Amino acid sequence: MRRFLRPGHDPVRERLKRDLFQFNKTVEHGFPHQPSALGYSPFLRLMAIGTRSGAIKLYGAPGVEFMGLHEENNTVMQIHFIPDQCQLVTLLDDNSLHLWSLKQHGGTSELREEHRFTLKGPPGSPPSATQVTAVLPHSSREVLYLGTESGNIFVVELPSFRVLEDRTITPEAVLQRIPEDNCNRRSCELVEALREHPKNPDQILIGYSRGLIVLWDLQNNKATHHFLGSQQLENLYWQRDGSKFISCHYDGSYSQWPVSSDSRQSEPLENTVPYGPFPCKAISKIYWQTTKNGLPYIIFQGGMPRASYGDRHSISVIHGSQQTAFDFTSRVIDFFIIFSSDPAAEFDDPSALVVLAEEELVVIDLKSAGWPAVHPPYLASLHCSAITCSHHVSNIPLKLWERIISAGSKQNIHYSSMPWPIDGGTNIAPDPPQRDLLLTGHEDGTVRFWDASGVCLHLLYKLSTVRVFLTDADPNDNMNTLGEDEWPPLRKVGTFDPYSDDPRLGIQKIYLCKYSGYLAVAGTAGQVLVMELNDEDAEHVVDHAEADLLQDQEGYRWKGHEKLKTRDGPVRFEAGFQPFVLVQCQPPAVVTSLALHSEWRLVAFGTSHGFGLFDHQQKRLVFVKCTLHPSDQLALEGPLSRVKSLKKSLRQSFRRIRRSRVSSRKRRGGGGNASEVQEANAKFDQDVLQEMELAPVQRKIEARSAEDSFTGFVRTLYFADTFLRDSSRHCPSLWAGTNGGTVYAFCLRVPPAERRMDEPVRAEQAKEIQLMHRAPVVGILVLDGRSTPLPEPLEVAHDLSKSPDMQGSHQLLVVSEEQFKVFTLPKVSSKLKLKLTALEGCRVRKVTVANFGSCKTDDYSENDLAVLTNLGDIQIISLPFLKLQIRYPCIRKEDVSGIASCVFTKYGQGFYLISPSEFERFSLSTKWLVEPRCIVDMPEVTTNNHVHKPGTENAARKS
Amino acid sequence: EFRRFSLERSKPGKFEEFYGLLQHVHKIPNVDVLVGYTDIHGDLLPINNDDNYHKAVSTANPLLRIFIQRKEDADYSAFGTDTMTRKKNVLSNVLRPDNHKKKPHIVISMPQDFRPVSSIIDVDILPETHRRVRLYKYGTDKPLGFYIRDGSSVRVTPHGLEKVPGIFISRLVPGGLAQSTGLLAVNDEVLEVNGIEVSGKSLDQVTDMMIANSRNLIITVRPANQRNNVVRNSRTSGSSGQSTESSLPSSTPNVLGSLLQGEEESDEEDIIIEDSGEPQQIPKATPASESIESLSQIELLHESTQNGFLPSSEMSLNHSTGSISMEYEAPEPGRKSLEEDGTIITL
């Protein structure tokens, strides 16, 4: 009979599928991986970031973002907005130039590549002749000046990219007006900087690498002034009135040059080495900003004393007697200043410093005292400590949302209150339909709460679990604690800190109950914390229990890390989620699964050794169950060394070096156990890597057996109120699935609320199912009498879900990596199955129940399984009949970390990491789609005309 | 009818004596019967000589279940591997011979005391250059024991010869099932896994498919050595015992033939333990009613001690209740495989 049901091609269903499912990658959240260039348009108030993979991303007001990708996937070297236009030019490392424009299309603006161009020299000329080093979009918007390695400056017409050969500025032409005793042909090699005169568009300043600076008159095609610096030139900057300019140099000095009316060779007005007298690093970029009170802001990158601070990534701001060197934890890519863009304004009046570092974006408020940082609404550094897990909660009740925001705002008091200064464009996307939270667990023991409702992934609140434990970290070990009169005046800014003090603190599993505000968090050293939301600071003792998961087993020795030491006595916690219970698994292996039932006040946790149930109301361990196979030595010996990547162990070695450098005097002999294990692991990784390189690619074909390693590894835990023993009475139950294909079911007796504290919670094993294919169980689910998945705890109590059907018979769905199986309950008999791996050769990596609504009618929705396979495909499988609905390729199958990081939402969306710092958001639903929709208003187009029409926004920088 | 009696495990005696004993116990001295027993794997195996009689006695655990059938209405197909798993229950299998009426078996000889570990199947429908091999992992302790690799193979296409990626057997583990069959060899090209073509699939996908089917693995290969192929002068032989009037063109490699059948029949069954009781196979949700007709079942109790009869209340299958160890895979603590298999656990 099954044969007849199988292939069916029902046209009604096919149409419905089109109304329900649709695959889109909608937006990338977080910070671009490997940024390489920065640009800013004061006219559009948009910022552009280019990356080493050829992506270009534009950001304006929160919600306004655009993305483009160069076909070549080459590094973006420079980004220049065309003045007063919705256009920008990018220079890639293959020397190609690309013109992009923002065009309105169907009510929203879109970023499109319009033209591409590669400068070609005369036949036979070396490639350096046309290697572009400096780009100047002229304010006339008609031409682009391209400085090259050869010293030639080519002029190309926009937007056609036609080279105007007669207007090329050759080194020979430049040298004509310069006395030969000072200069020769070599002085004009490599154009380092091109700057247009702020008041006179017919003059451009040309800076050559060897120090020669020339003011060039475009009308008469001749050099009117020349300035000879003694040092290698790095960059140039015009002062606002055009009477002076600043040059900065390789030796860490900067000079101020007057542009007098006579064309004599000038001497610098001022030549300063700000961090002298000892040799300094280059100042690679400088701004000189005038203010009303006369004291300029001098802002420059680099220039640190070479010997002692040469490794710092700094940007210094000098304003009168105030001087701060902002110290970034990663390399500074570029920076810009937001200042008055009104051409009529007399002063620059800078308001903000925007710095693109390799791992984060930092914005400094220059208007407020102390120059505080501004909290960015987007481009969050997701990876400020490496992400170890994530958890998504849809549709957060308003009350909880507000409490989390208020807890977060108390953490953010050191941020400036300045509104976000990059505010171009208009966000026209509808308000998000609901409040969604994305929780990320990090290696340093923190959990970050992100507002994932809309396009901007915004940090709401950060929770740290570190305070509960005593760690090696020396609280005084802080690069920031420098004395008052310290020189240079370094100040650490930004949040990116990839070094975890103790890898055991890493967060592995998170479970948040949105109705009760209970949060369970579990980590690398077998720690499980249950927390409650408190709006006030509090000091209290965290109840501590230990769960010995090896109870009835003997003779085993755990060779992994030690458990974390806890703090004795009360601990002070800031407002927010505050732990009240700590359960530590013994042996302290990574917690591999976690479930919380806020109504029954129970938390279940599993490791590679077994699982346990803890009553967090009575603070009592209910039971533990060892799942370990007696012959499984590997699980006993320690952390899963085999799954560790080389990268990770490298990072650990760095961390180790750093840690030993910091506190070498503190540790004597003894406690080197953890690092020995790490070393051994690192060596093992190396060996494995070598082995893999030598051996031909081959795979062993072997049936799984009960003795395989890590069969006891608990992969999934699930609470359900269902018919476990007989069909007349349902009861609370706990289900656990292991790596070896075993499912355990425990019958729970939870006392009624009024006697909840008086009677103990009891548990009794009721069932054990061994899947004969022995594949890891990755999901367990109970379907009610209407074949609907059971609601979450408290969902019914809050009237947000129908109560489950307890009349009809329940069904159990067990998802292993290879098969989906439906069994009847309470008597377990197999009803249906879908053998995924046997048919397609792919395995289940992630599975969730998702609700799909129809885009055509509001009253139809259905529950399906969203499945991500090890090939990176997403499949939607119907419930309860387990029919494959649709399949989309989503992630490259080689991208193992992307696949491992994927998290589905309850409404058919999902996130996965495309780099350590970026989540890609995708949607499987036609109904729930979060994508940027925004408009950037075009300025009035004034072709062949330098003068702006009256009435257009008076925002032009130069005229 | 059921009988229950005891034997001395250490001195089982000869088969002839045992046969006589059975005839005596059942009071059927002149009836020819077939004697069978269920082994620890749940298979129904015959007892017809001293060797398999001794084997049966020595593996009794602790009960030995003996089935006796009248020779004339015996159903030979009930014997062999997977008899339990295939039909859920030996009883229904043996008791309902009408199930098999439509498939008359030509009995060449009595099955001996072994179970198949491999077979060549669908010889009649496959091209001569291909071989479809079935490996019975279930019930043997031997590892499957082979490795596969990527490679390239040459195909005949309308555009001439084309080089295409293929999957090949790269290594046979000495003493493994694959090697012991002699039906697979290094450099054989794998064409199908349980009826599914592997072309277009990656090495990892094929690995996963094979492991997922490891309990009943049917692989179609093109042997590297083509000299041992079955030479068919006429299409009159077929190993699957079906009608030989096969009109199927022998050039289509992916005719499933008995594959689907095999897959359906020997699908592995999960095991459930209720309330820490004894493990049972999980039934299909639609159970068939069973009727007992003409079979007498004897439960034979073996005592390693010389205590004689046990009270009948303890006669039922005497597993240690409360233990949750699987009866199907005898744990062998001595054999620990720590070999790196290339697949890693991803969390």
Side-chain angles (χ1 to χ4, degrees), chain B residues 206-263:
Chain B
V206 178
T207 307
D208 286 340
M209 286 167 69
M210 287 188 175
I211 291 174
N213 287 306
S214 56
R215 292 198 165 256
N216 173 38
L217 182 59
I218 301 167
I219 45 182
T220 311
V221 294
R222 180 174 22 219
N225 179 357
Q226 291 281 340
R227 271 176 296 184
N228 296 334
N229 290 341
V230 183
V231 180
R232 291 196 298 256
N233 294 324
S234 61
R235 294 198 201 140
T236 48
S237 67
S239 72
S240 45
Q242 305 266 344
S243 157
T244 52
E245 299 294 313
S246 168
S247 59
L248 291 162
S250 57
S251 57
T252 50
N254 54 347
V255 176
L256 292 182
S258 59
L259 284 192
L260 278 178
Q261 200 186 354
E263 196 202 347

Side-chain angles (χ1 to χ4, degrees), chain A residues 537-720:
Chain A
D537 287 17
E539 189 169 318
H540 57 81
V541 178
V542 178
D543 278 289
H544 178 208
E546 200 162 282
D548 181 7
L549 295 173
L550 287 181
Q551 271 189 333
D552 35 4
Q553 310 273 343
E554 269 176 30
Y556 290 133
R557 202 159 71 86
W558 169 252
K559 297 180 190 163
H561 47 233
E562 290 168 39
K563 70 171 186 173
L564 284 159
K565 289 195 183 68
T566 52
R567 269 178 214 279
D568 296 327
V571 183
R572 177 138 210 103
F573 296 103
E574 57 179 17
F577 287 94
Q578 298 173 346
F580 62 95
V581 159
L582 165 67
V583 183
Q584 286 185 293
C585 298
Q586 197 57 259
V590 176
V591 176
T592 53
S593 54
L594 180 71
L596 177 78
H597 200 293
S598 42
E599 201 171 340
W600 303 336
R601 308 284 163 97
L602 296 172
V603 62
F605 47 88
T607 72
S608 46
H609 302 94
F611 58 96
L613 180 68
F614 191 84
D615 173 358
H616 65 76
Q617 178 87 10
Q618 291 186 22
K619 303 190 169 100
R620 196 181 69 88
L621 190 65
V622 179
F623 76 92
V624 294
K625 164 91 184 165
C626 180
T627 54
L628 204 63
H629 193 275
S631 70
D632 188 355
Q633 282 299 312
L634 274 178
L636 290 162
E637 281 173 357
L640 303 177
S641 53
R642 291 194 306 164
V643 304
K644 264 196 201 138
S645 66
L646 182 64
K647 197 181 109 199
K648 199 164 180 182
S649 61
L650 274 179
R651 193 165 62 212
Q652 278 171 348
S653 349
F654 281 127
R655 184 184 299 127
R656 198 165 53 239
I657 290 164
R658 180 173 170 274
R659 212 190 310 158
S660 61
R661 205 195 290 160
V662 167
S663 52
S664 50
R665 71 207 123 76
K666 240 177 37 178
R667 18 178 77 230
R668 260 164 283 149
N673 189 19
S675 64
E676 271 164 32
V677 170
Q678 282 171 3
E679 245 157 59
N681 285 343
K683 190 175 174 301
F684 187 79
D685 289 340
Q686 292 271 22
D687 293 348
V688 167
L689 206 75
Q690 272 170 5
E691 220 169 85
M692 271 157 56
E693 275 162 10
L694 293 174
V697 184
Q698 58 174 6
R699 297 282 183 271
K700 187 179 187 182
I701 308 298
E702 203 43 77
R704 293 195 183 83
S705 84
E707 296 136 62
D708 283 350
S709 290
F710 302 115
T711 49
F713 195 117
V714 180
R715 292 290 290 268
T716 182
L717 288 162
Y718 177 68
F719 284 110

Side-chain angles (χ1 to χ4, degrees), chain B residues 41-216:
Chain B
H41 303 291
D43 294 343
L44 182 64
L45 298 173
I47 299 181
N48 50 17
N49 59 33
D50 285 352
D51 288 341
N52 54 25
Y53 168 56
H54 289 162
K55 173 88 176 164
V57 172
S58 62
T59 56
N61 184 27
L63 282 177
L64 180 64
R65 283 165 168 249
I66 302 282
F67 294 88
I68 299 177
Q69 282 177 283
R70 219 192 285 268
K71 217 163 200 167
E72 45 266 36
D73 43 76
D75 172 23
Y76 297 98
S77 69
F79 291 101
T81 308
D82 294 354
T83 42
M84 290 297 276
T85 52
R86 197 160 71 207
K87 293 293 178 249
K88 320 307 170 253
N89 191 330
V90 168
L91 268 183
S92 67
N93 202 9
V94 177
L95 291 178
R96 299 165 72 203
D98 50 310
N99 274 354
H100 306 278
K101 287 266 164 68
K102 42 196 167 276
K103 208 163 91 175
H105 258 276
I106 304 153
V107 180
I108 298 166
S109 68
M110 278 298 296
Q112 302 301 301
D113 183 21
F114 63 81
R115 65 170 62 78
V117 291
S118 65
S119 55
I120 300 188
I121 54 174
D122 296 336
V123 180
D124 50 346
I125 53 170
L126 282 175
E128 287 167 21
T129 53
H130 294 180
R131 182 185 295 164
R132 188 167 285 165
V133 178
R134 181 169 178 174
L135 297 176
Y136 301 80
K137 165 73 177 121
Y138 184 65
T140 60
D141 294 332
K142 275 186 180 169
L144 280 170
F146 66 101
Y147 289 74
I148 56 173
R149 63 165 171 89
D150 279 318
S152 64
S153 129
V154 177
R155 289 279 151 76
V156 184
T157 67
H159 319 289
L161 293 177
E162 233 172 52
K163 228 177 178 186
V164 291
I167 304 285
F168 296 84
I169 293 176
S170 63
R171 187 151 87 87
L172 298 179
V173 177
L177 194 55
Q179 193 213 35
S180 64
T181 65
L183 300 176
L184 298 171
V186 170
N187 293 334
D188 285 2
E189 183 182 0
V190 178
L191 302 171
E192 294 172 359
V193 175
N194 287 53
I196 306 219
E197 280 194 67
V198 303
S199 72
K201 292 199 158 58
S202 71
L203 184 64
D204 288 326
Q205 274 175 285
V206 178
T207 307
D208 286 340
M209 286 167 69
M210 287 188 175
I211 291 174
N213 287 306
S214 56
R215 292 198 165 256
N216 173 38

Side-chain angles (χ1 to χ4, degrees), chain A residues 2 6 508 590 592 625 629 631 633-634 640 642-643 684 688 691 697-707 709-710 713 715 724-725 739 744 764-774 817-819 821 823-824 826-831 833 835 837-843 845-846 870-871 893 896 900, chain B residues 137-138 142-150 170-171 173 193-194 196 201-215 217 260 263-264 267-276 280-286 324 326 328-333 335-347:
Chain A
R2 269 197 293 163
R6 216 177 258 160
Q508 298 292 338
V590 176
T592 53
K625 164 91 184 165
H629 193 275
S631 70
Q633 282 299 312
L634 274 178
L640 303 177
R642 291 194 306 164
V643 304
F684 187 79
V688 167
E691 220 169 85
V697 184
Q698 58 174 6
R699 297 282 183 271
K700 187 179 187 182
I701 308 298
E702 203 43 77
R704 293 195 183 83
S705 84
E707 296 136 62
S709 290
F710 302 115
F713 195 117
R715 292 290 290 268
L724 191 55
R725 283 247 165 87
N739 231 24
Y744 300 93
E764 197 183 341
Q765 179 162 346
K767 285 186 185 356
E768 179 179 327
I769 301 169
Q770 174 63 53
L771 302 176
M772 281 319 271
H773 65 286
R774 294 193 186 280
E817 282 191 0
E818 295 184 352
Q819 297 186 5
K821 281 196 143 167
F823 298 96
T824 57
K827 176 152 175 46
V828 175
S829 50
S830 70
K831 203 172 168 186
K833 70 174 162 241
K835 294 170 90 175
T837 311
L839 295 172
E840 298 181 31
C842 60
R843 288 198 303 254
R845 280 280 174 263
K846 304 275 168 175
N870 65 329
L871 303 179
K893 70 168 182 239
V896 178
Chain B
K137 165 73 177 121
Y138 184 65
K142 275 186 180 169
L144 280 170
F146 66 101
Y147 289 74
I148 56 173
R149 63 165 171 89
D150 279 318
S170 63
R171 187 151 87 87
V173 177
V193 175
N194 287 53
I196 306 219
K201 292 199 158 58
S202 71
L203 184 64
D204 288 326
Q205 274 175 285
V206 178
T207 307
D208 286 340
M209 286 167 69
M210 287 188 175
I211 291 174
N213 287 306
S214 56
R215 292 198 165 256
L217 182 59
L260 278 178
E263 196 202 347
E264 292 300 321
D267 199 4
E268 73 277 357
E269 288 307 325
D270 305 327
I271 295 170
I272 172 99
I273 302 167
E274 300 264 0
D275 296 328
S276 304
Q280 292 171 351
Q281 279 175 350
I282 294 178
K284 280 265 157 52
T286 48
I324 45 166
M326 295 294 130
Y328 291 80
E329 309 257 325
E332 270 188 68
R335 188 171 58 87
K336 230 178 296 162
S337 156
L338 290 179
E339 254 178 293
E340 185 71 38
D341 60 1
T343 51
I344 51 169
I345 304 157
T346 316
L347 304 184

Side-chain angles (χ1 to χ4, degrees), chain A residues 419-467:
Chain A
W420 185 243
I422 303 162
D423 54 3
T426 317
N427 180 9
I428 56 165
D431 280 342
Q434 57 187 29
R435 291 168 295 273
D436 287 357
L437 264 185
L438 180 67
L439 278 66
T440 52
H442 297 262
E443 203 182 22
D444 64 352
T446 59
V447 178
R448 285 170 167 81
F449 289 61
W450 305 92
D451 175 0
S453 331
V455 169
C456 291
L457 193 72
H458 179 68
L459 181 65
L460 295 177
Y461 164 71
K462 180 180 134 184
L463 162 75
S464 176
T465 61
V466 181
R467 300 191 64 83

Side-chain angles (χ1 to χ4, degrees), chain A residues 194-468:
Chain A
L194 287 173
R195 293 282 179 262
E196 183 179 326
H197 193 286
K199 299 290 179 195
N200 179 3
D202 289 334
Q203 288 192 325
I204 59 170
L205 197 61
I206 306 166
Y208 295 97
S209 172
R210 287 185 179 251
L212 177 69
I213 304 160
V214 170
L215 186 61
W216 187 262
D217 189 326
L218 297 170
Q219 289 292 335
N220 306 316
N221 257 335
K222 60 172 180 136
T224 55
H225 298 70
H226 71 275
F227 313 88
L228 202 57
S230 56
Q231 282 295 331
Q232 204 171 316
L233 182 76
E234 287 284 323
N235 220 323
L236 295 171
Y237 189 79
W238 277 110
Q239 289 188 20
R240 192 176 182 90
D241 59 1
S243 66
K244 294 185 207 100
F245 69 87
I246 318 293
S247 64
C248 55
H249 302 277
Y250 182 74
D251 67 342
S253 67
Y254 65 86
S255 309
Q256 198 180 175
W257 305 82
V259 182
S260 50
S261 46
D262 56 19
S263 58
R264 285 183 297 110
Q265 185 201 330
S266 318
E267 287 299 316
L269 275 181
E270 183 199 357
N271 188 9
T272 317
V273 183
Y275 293 110
F278 298 111
C280 290
K281 299 268 280 190
I283 294 181
S284 47
K285 189 172 180 181
I286 190 160
Y287 276 80
W288 184 288
Q289 301 269 286
T290 56
T291 58
K292 218 171 273 169
N293 66 14
L295 285 172
Y297 277 89
I298 306 162
I299 301 165
F300 58 87
Q301 175 188 351
M304 282 284 132
R306 186 175 290 275
S308 350
Y309 298 94
D311 57 342
R312 298 301 173 92
H313 314 289
S314 72
I315 288 185
S316 302
V317 180
I318 302 173
H319 179 61
S321 60
Q322 294 178 62
Q323 178 166 359
T324 299
F326 294 103
D327 183 13
F328 298 88
T329 51
S330 56
R331 197 164 60 87
V332 173
I333 304 294
D334 201 357
F335 71 102
F336 63 84
I337 310 290
I338 297 176
F339 54 88
S340 168
S341 57
D342 180 359
E346 205 176 330
F347 303 103
D348 289 319
D349 216 9
S351 55
L353 161 68
V354 181
V355 183
L356 177 70
E358 189 142 43
E359 307 290 357
E360 64 188 326
L361 182 83
V362 177
V363 178
I364 307 283
D365 175 5
L366 296 176
K367 292 254 179 186
S368 310
W371 298 331
V374 186
H375 193 46
Y378 45 67
L379 284 168
S381 285
L382 299 171
H383 61 318
C384 33
S385 167
I387 293 181
T388 43
C389 65
S390 37
H391 175 70
H392 185 274
V393 192
S394 300
N395 217 348
I396 304 286
L398 183 61
K399 182 80 186 135
L400 178 67
W401 188 257
E402 285 171 344
R403 291 177 72 190
I404 291 172
I405 287 179
S406 108
S409 63
K410 287 176 189 145
Q411 297 178 324
N412 290 340
I413 41 172
H414 60 282
Y415 280 114
S416 160
S417 55
M418 174 193 238
W420 185 243
I422 303 162
D423 54 3
T426 317
N427 180 9
I428 56 165
D431 280 342
Q434 57 187 29
R435 291 168 295 273
D436 287 357
L437 264 185
L438 180 67
L439 278 66
T440 52
H442 297 262
E443 203 182 22
D444 64 352
T446 59
V447 178
R448 285 170 167 81
F449 289 61
W450 305 92
D451 175 0
S453 331
V455 169
C456 291
L457 193 72
H458 179 68
L459 181 65
L460 295 177
Y461 164 71
K462 180 180 134 184
L463 162 75
S464 176
T465 61
V466 181
R467 300 191 64 83
V468 182

